[in-house]
Amino acid sequence: RDTLLSLQASAQAKWTALRVFEQDAPATAPDEKKKFFVSFPYPYMNGYLHIGHAFSMSKCEFAVGYFRLKGIQCLFPFGFH
């Protein structure tokens, strides 16, 4: 368990230093063909959260991560509807 916690801490420190999960607005207008937008509504509390929420959210997170790795400008405004 301690080994996994130390690996997690070192990975998170590296991600923070490299700003892996941060996205800044570009200084110049990006190429029209290299943009990706995904939206996911905030889970309202009019019912119980269920595995379907996590399943749908994970698909959005995977897609954004994949396209960012390919160098495509991504915007993922979670819950801003």
Side-chain angles (χ1 to χ4, degrees), residues 42-50 53:
Y42 187 78
Y44 296 102
M45 293 297 122
N46 57 355
Y48 292 107
L49 289 176
H50 53 83
H53 291 97

Side-chain angles (χ1 to χ4, degrees), residues 15-25 68 74:
W15 295 338
T16 300
L18 295 174
R19 299 179 62 202
V20 172
F21 296 104
E22 295 180 26
Q23 187 71 26
D24 292 328
R68 280 185 181 159
C74 295

Side-chain angles (χ1 to χ4, degrees), residues 2 8 12 15 19 21 32-33 38-41 45 50 56 58 64:
D2 293 334
Q8 179 182 359
Q12 287 176 342
W15 295 338
R19 299 179 62 202
F21 296 104
E32 287 296 321
K33 297 179 183 174
V38 65
S39 182
F40 187 83
M45 293 297 122
H50 53 83
S56 298
S58 64
V64 168

